[in-house]
Amino acid sequence: MRSTQIRSLFTDFFTSRGHRHVPSSPLVPAEPTLLLTNAGMNQFTPYFVGDGEPPFPRATSVQKCARTVDIENVGRTHRHATFFEMLGNFSFGDYFRSEAVAYAWELVTREFGLPKDRLWITVYRDDDEAERLWRALGVPASRIQRLGMADNYWSMGVPGPCGPSSEIHFDRGPAFGPDGGPAVDGERFIELWNLVFMESRRGEGPEKEGYPILGPLRRKGIDTGLGLDRLATVLQEVPNVVSTDLLLPTLHTVRELSGRDYHVDGPDRRSFEIVTEHSRSVAFLIADGVLPAKDGRGYILRRLMRRAVRHARSLGIEGHVLPATTASVVANLGDVWPGLRGQSSLIERVVTSEEESFARTLSQGTRLLDAAITRTRDGGGTALTGETAFELADTYGFPVELTVEAARDAGLGVDEDRFAALLEEQRRRAKTAGKGKTAEALRRLEVYRELSARLPATEFLGYTRLDGEGRVRGIVADGHVVEAASPGATVELVLDRSPFYAEAGGQVGDTGVITTEGGTKLRVTHTRYGVEGFRVHSAQVLDGEVRTGDAVWSSVDADRRAALTRSHSATHILHAVVRAILGDHARQQGSLVEPDRLRFDFAHFSALSPGQLADIEHAVNNHVLADPEVRAWYADRAEAEAAGALALFGEKYGDTVRIVDIGDFSRELCGGTHVAHGAQVGAFRLLGDASIGANLRRVEALTGHEALDRGESERRLLRELADLLETRPADAPGVLRKRLDALGAARSRLDGMRTDELRRQARVLADGAEPAGAGGHVVARTVDGVTADELRGLASEAVARLRGPGPGVVVLGATDGGKALLVAAVSPELAHQGVAARDLLADAARLVGGGAGGKGALASAGGRRTGSLDEALRTAASRAREVLG
């Protein structure tokens, strides 16, 4: 059974049983505590914890997932992968254990046809009901095993929904491992399907047995995950995941590039499987908007890429590998996942660029490693230190495996225990920092979760009006719910109805005024979401008292909102133009929409030329002047995507989405506020672009009044410049260019005259040299009106012009900018004898309050004691005479 059939059979089974088929969410999750989407239930988390009402009671999906917790097991086992598709069915307060167990058993045994006598079940150690349900379906007690929290109790790995689980395992036979069930061997008894009975909330604490259970969820739910790779491995009767139709074409590509054969028991097996499996992960991550970086999800991508390249090198592949292997992923899975095809150009450019960068890293790391090996051997050591291995890995990205291999070839070991300790210390610091941020975010959310449990979501009025009636439903001060607040207090208000836009999608929140029925005024300084659909108004009580239950009149700052709509609509137009000019890969990666100004981040690989910036600005203004209609409409997610609506990476969308069309050239999913017609954006002014990371660019722009003000400011500057040049503004550039050319020519003539003057002065200095020693000469003079560079040039020229074949020394002094300057130059004969000009100035330099510097025949010194210059010059001259004998 091919993977396409498995997907269809699964989703058809559950849709025929009342489940809504929900599209996969991106690998970049909306959940702030997750780096990557790691489970099918991630997009449904709010429905489990009670942050929002589910639009349907049951759902099914095929979810893209990425997990690197088992990265070291890829290629070591037959079943682990860093990217996989999770087939799932979900219930939000609808059915629970009995139905979930029955559905799973029916699908696995009847539809997929797996023999019942080869299926094993695990349940949580205290879950008597789950065991009873499985036995009622005919599973004998001998094939049901009870395991602990580490195996059969599920959570996302961070505080959130959790619950006991039950797993279906398939016995692959004695060729894959010993008997004894899943508790004994996970390779032979491969886990296929995990059924989670979501009923509790977990708190902060270590994984496995350590985190506390905070209490029950508002509604019980079902979350299941059936791994497509593993089921395909069983149904297609192949030894491992890379041999399924999901990865086999990519495995063939690696074989062709390497010129080697792949054998399941061969010595190169692990490298073949790592390159193959990681290539799929890389392609999907880039397609979903992840780009290589030094931290976060970008670091995960970079690690996967570099790991794949390193193992490709061990297979003898010296040229690029990832462009070909990721292209095979796109060709194989692009029909099922169109996002791969749509981003194929981006994938190719990113992996090519990253491989070239890593090649340089390998070269640099190799040089540093060779130096460390030489130092260790010369010092009589037998092993590289763990600090050396860690620095190479952490600072230079040089894989520790290569360090170990190179050291072994040189007859040395590596202190891998110390390396592991340093790595674990780094991980612990990162985890602690991340948990601190997560805990703080969760503490902030908790108060609004409590409020949302008893209050409806805020009704938003702001698409059609900027004021309206409402009522205070909650007041939060200092992180606690209070009943009232007095003048001067800073509070957060929750209203039942509000025209204030809450910060989202890059657009900052509204400001304005809220007035209670009793006349109390509050200045709203920011609006954001507490939890989904729950608007929070940060405000200061100006006078009077505000109480829960008060009727209020809300008024948004109209001018500020208008400026925001101009910037937001301009951002959509800019996005469409950037993609049209630079390519479809140049998709939005982030934005900041402020009043009459915007910041826009997008994927691209090089700085924009002045011509490209001009083309983008011109195209945006052309669209604005064409005055296209701006229209917002609603549809379900599938309909919107079929209509070509662009979803932005990292944004969270519900089942029903809002689409914003600007003319016929821009269509995006968006919940923000916009102008009614394009011309209302007014002027658009692009300020320039900059790099904000690997393969990421940022442009900033002005709209509306800010753009007009910038134009007026520049017009005034041009007029002022024209007045100074005594010409018209239009002629100013040409006149200025002519004057600069004339100034340059005059400067060249002056430089020539100055050079002639300095040469003449050098001749005079040389002619005035005094005899010293046996045929030698000394010049010791002060010079007026020269710079430090000119003084050095004078000394060099003068020493070259000294009379006679004998040795000579020139010592010159000058003052410039309130500083005493000294220069000494020695003739070639003295330099060849080892006389350093710097030594002649050592004592003199101290007299003027400085030190001497320079090498060989020319040296200089300087200090702030200008009054000591003459004495310093005499001291240097005396030292020169001593040297000349």
Side-chain angles (χ1 to χ4, degrees):
M1 186 180 291
R2 292 184 59 79
S3 56
T4 51
Q5 296 170 278
I6 298 173
R7 291 189 197 92
S8 296
L9 197 156
F10 184 92
T11 54
D12 289 349
F13 177 89
F14 283 104
T15 54
S16 68
R17 287 158 177 77
H19 292 66
R20 174 74 66 87
H21 187 185
V22 179
S24 173
S25 62
L27 286 171
V28 178
E31 170 59 51
T33 60
L34 290 175
L35 274 180
L36 295 168
T37 299
N38 61 10
M41 61 79 61
N42 288 167
Q43 65 173 312
F44 304 121
T45 301
Y47 307 148
F48 286 114
V49 300
D51 285 352
E53 288 299 316
F56 32 76
R58 49 179 71 182
T60 185
S61 69
V62 180
Q63 175 64 51
K64 298 175 291 187
C65 297
R67 293 183 194 169
T68 55
V69 64
D70 291 317
I71 189 172
E72 296 298 335
N73 286 325
V74 174
R76 297 187 188 277
T77 72
H78 294 297
R79 67 190 191 276
H80 283 102
T82 57
F83 171 88
F84 53 92
E85 297 176 45
M86 186 70 84
L87 313 178
N89 61 288
F90 308 90
S91 165
F92 314 114
D94 188 12
Y95 61 84
F96 202 52
R97 268 186 184 80
S98 60
E99 294 91 338
V101 167
Y103 284 151
W105 189 250
E106 179 184 359
L107 184 55
V108 167
T109 59
R110 293 186 186 177
E111 304 297 332
F112 290 128
L114 296 181
K116 297 178 180 179
D117 61 355
R118 296 180 68 180
L119 294 174
W120 285 65
I121 306 297
T122 59
V123 298
Y124 183 53
R125 62 191 175 203
D126 300 329
D127 198 342
D128 297 333
E129 183 182 358
E131 180 174 359
R132 179 182 58 77
L133 291 170
W134 288 115
R135 293 189 64 177
L137 289 171
V139 182
S142 59
R143 291 208 305 275
I144 300 176
Q145 294 182 328
R146 292 186 181 235
L147 300 176
M149 183 174 278
D151 297 289
N152 278 92
Y153 201 95
W154 191 91
S155 79
M156 291 190 299
V158 296
C162 63
S165 69
S166 182
E167 297 168 342
I168 301 176
H169 302 255
F170 181 79
D171 182 0
R172 303 186 71 194
F176 288 90
D179 201 356
V184 173
D185 189 87
E187 280 290 279
R188 171 175 172 175
F189 300 90
I190 185 172
E191 176 200 336
L192 298 179
W193 202 345
N194 187 16
L195 315 177
V196 179
F197 312 126
M198 205 75 75
E199 58 187 17
S200 303
R201 288 187 302 116
R202 65 160 282 188
E204 282 284 355
E207 282 304 295
K208 310 305 180 189
E209 309 286 336
Y211 54 80
I213 305 302
L214 300 180
L217 295 173
R218 282 179 55 191
R219 60 173 70 89
K220 291 182 179 180
I222 290 295
D223 156 34
T224 83
L226 173 61
L228 177 60
D229 289 42
R230 295 184 181 185
L231 184 58
T233 301
V234 170
L235 293 178
Q236 294 172 14
E237 297 181 342
V238 293
N240 52 34
V241 296
V242 300
S243 301
T244 67
D245 67 332
L246 292 160
L247 284 167
L248 191 59
T250 305
L251 179 61
H252 287 326
T253 300
V254 181
R255 290 175 58 188
E256 291 168 4
L257 291 171
S258 68
R260 302 185 188 183
D261 288 332
Y262 165 76
H263 299 287
V264 174
D265 298 321
D268 296 328
R269 171 203 156 200
R270 185 163 178 255
S271 290
F272 268 111
E273 294 180 11
I274 286 173
V275 177
T276 300
E277 195 281 329
H278 286 9
S279 295
R280 178 176 62 171
S281 299
V282 166
F284 272 93
L285 285 168
I286 296 172
D288 269 13
V290 181
L291 293 173
K294 294 180 179 179
D295 53 19
R297 56 182 65 97
Y299 175 75
I300 292 173
L301 172 62
R302 175 166 284 168
R303 182 186 181 196
L304 289 167
M305 295 169 77
R306 292 187 168 188
R307 204 162 183 260
V309 170
R310 180 172 61 80
H311 281 275
R313 296 291 184 271
S314 72
L315 293 173
I317 305 173
E318 293 301 325
H320 288 171
V321 61
L322 289 174
T325 55
T326 53
S328 73
V329 173
V330 173
N332 185 37
L333 298 173
D335 289 340
V336 178
W337 299 103
L340 286 173
R341 290 200 188 281
Q343 296 298 320
S344 58
S345 174
L346 175 66
I347 294 169
E348 180 182 9
R349 295 184 68 177
V350 170
V351 298
T352 301
S353 173
E354 187 67 14
E355 276 207 59
E356 291 171 351
S357 172
F358 187 41
R360 293 189 292 271
T361 294
L362 284 174
S363 176
Q364 182 183 27
T366 299
R367 289 196 301 272
L368 295 168
L369 177 58
D370 289 345
I373 288 173
T374 300
R375 285 197 307 272
T376 302
R377 286 196 300 204
D378 290 349
T382 59
L384 296 179
T385 66
E387 283 77 7
T388 296
F390 182 76
E391 181 185 11
L392 283 166
D394 186 55
T395 304
Y396 300 100
F398 197 78
V400 67
E401 294 89 345
L402 287 185
T403 301
V404 172
E405 182 179 333
R408 186 185 301 118
D409 292 343
L412 299 173
V414 175
D415 188 348
E416 294 186 66
D417 290 341
R418 177 59 178 159
F419 171 84
L422 290 168
L423 187 63
E424 181 58 33
E425 182 181 336
Q426 183 191 60
R427 287 173 177 164
R428 187 166 55 250
R429 285 196 303 267
K431 191 172 183 180
T432 300
K435 282 191 172 183
K437 293 177 182 177
T438 298
E440 177 60 28
L442 289 168
R443 281 192 291 271
R444 293 182 62 189
L445 282 175
E446 195 61 36
V447 65
Y448 290 106
R449 283 179 173 162
E450 292 175 3
L451 283 172
S452 67
R454 55 185 173 84
L455 298 176
T458 309
E459 179 186 351
F460 181 52
L461 310 174
Y463 287 137
T464 58
R465 55 189 299 180
L466 296 179
D467 53 19
E469 297 177 341
R471 192 169 293 276
V472 178
R473 293 302 188 192
I475 305 174
V476 177
D478 297 325
H480 300 283
V481 176
V482 297
E483 285 300 310
S486 303
T490 298
V491 297
E492 293 180 331
L493 296 186
V494 176
L495 308 180
D496 60 348
R497 304 168 77 242
S498 172
F500 288 86
Y501 180 82
E503 180 171 342
Q507 180 176 334
V508 299
D510 279 335
T511 62
V513 174
I514 294 175
T515 306
T516 70
E517 192 174 37
T520 297
K521 272 192 174 182
L522 299 95
R523 164 60 63 184
V524 177
T525 57
H526 184 48
T527 311
R528 63 176 180 85
Y529 283 108
V531 294
E532 186 178 0
F534 218 62
R535 280 175 168 76
V536 175
H537 308 75
S538 298
Q540 185 175 21
V541 183
L542 300 181
D543 54 61
E545 184 181 62
V546 59
R547 301 189 65 83
T548 302
D550 281 353
V552 297
W553 183 262
S554 299
S555 299
V556 174
D557 183 332
D559 289 342
R560 186 174 182 275
R561 167 70 82 81
L564 283 165
T565 63
R566 288 192 287 267
S567 292
H568 204 153
S569 296
T571 302
H572 282 225
I573 298 172
L574 175 62
H575 191 189
V577 166
V578 165
R579 291 175 60 217
I581 290 177
L582 301 180
D584 190 60
H585 69 275
R587 292 198 173 201
Q588 178 175 332
Q589 301 295 315
S591 68
L592 177 63
V593 176
E594 295 182 308
D596 280 345
R597 61 173 51 238
L598 64 93
R599 190 177 72 205
F600 182 78
D601 303 336
F602 59 97
H604 197 53
F605 310 93
S606 59
L608 302 188
S609 68
Q612 287 174 318
L613 290 170
D615 289 345
I616 290 170
E617 181 177 277
H618 183 70
V620 172
N621 280 311
N622 275 349
H623 282 304
V624 169
L625 290 172
D627 197 24
E629 180 186 3
V630 180
R631 183 173 73 95
W633 52 287
Y634 293 85
D636 64 47
R637 178 73 181 273
E639 179 185 353
E641 290 181 347
L646 196 64
L648 302 183
F649 300 127
E651 290 296 322
K652 187 174 183 179
Y653 303 103
D655 191 53
T656 300
V657 293
R658 181 172 182 260
I659 303 101
V660 173
D661 289 345
I662 302 181
D664 59 0
F665 59 88
S666 172
R667 173 170 286 174
E668 294 188 18
L669 304 187
C670 180
T673 61
H674 289 268
V675 298
H677 286 269
Q680 293 173 339
V681 169
F684 175 86
R685 190 68 182 275
L686 200 58
L687 299 180
D689 88 312
S691 170
I692 58 168
N695 308 316
L696 280 177
R697 306 299 300 178
R698 169 173 291 171
V699 294
E700 297 189 46
L702 305 177
T703 60
H705 294 298
E706 288 275 2
L708 294 173
D709 290 346
R710 174 60 67 95
E712 174 59 24
S713 173
E714 292 177 352
R715 188 175 68 85
R716 286 196 303 270
L717 287 172
L718 178 58
R719 188 166 56 239
E720 183 179 349
L721 177 63
D723 290 343
L724 291 171
L725 294 171
E726 298 178 335
T727 188
R728 296 179 304 170
D731 297 332
V735 172
L736 179 59
R737 191 175 297 111
K738 287 180 181 179
R739 294 196 182 181
L740 288 174
D741 289 343
L743 181 61
R747 181 175 291 142
S748 294
R749 290 194 298 273
L750 286 172
D751 287 345
M753 293 170 64
R754 181 61 172 166
T755 299
D756 291 342
E757 169 63 19
L758 291 173
R759 285 175 179 165
R760 185 195 64 77
Q761 195 170 0
R763 286 196 298 272
V764 171
L765 289 170
D767 290 344
E770 299 177 359
H777 294 82
V778 172
V779 174
R781 299 280 296 276
T782 58
V783 183
D784 296 328
V786 293
T787 65
D789 287 340
E790 289 174 340
L791 192 66
R792 284 191 290 270
L794 264 178
S796 296
E797 183 81 12
V799 81
R801 293 178 177 275
L802 288 175
R803 298 187 304 272
V809 176
V810 173
V811 181
L812 302 179
T815 57
D816 183 38
K819 187 176 181 181
L821 305 177
L822 289 167
V823 173
V826 301
S827 62
E829 303 97 307
L830 291 176
H832 291 152
Q833 294 171 19
V835 176
R838 178 178 178 178
D839 294 339
L840 303 181
L841 292 181
D843 293 337
R846 284 191 286 272
L847 289 172
V848 296
K855 293 182 179 180
L858 185 67
S860 60
R864 291 293 175 185
R865 299 174 189 164
T866 55
S868 301
L869 180 60
D870 290 341
E871 183 184 357
L873 192 61
R874 288 193 298 271
T875 300
S878 175
R879 177 69 181 127
R881 292 187 180 92
E882 288 177 12
V883 169
L884 292 172

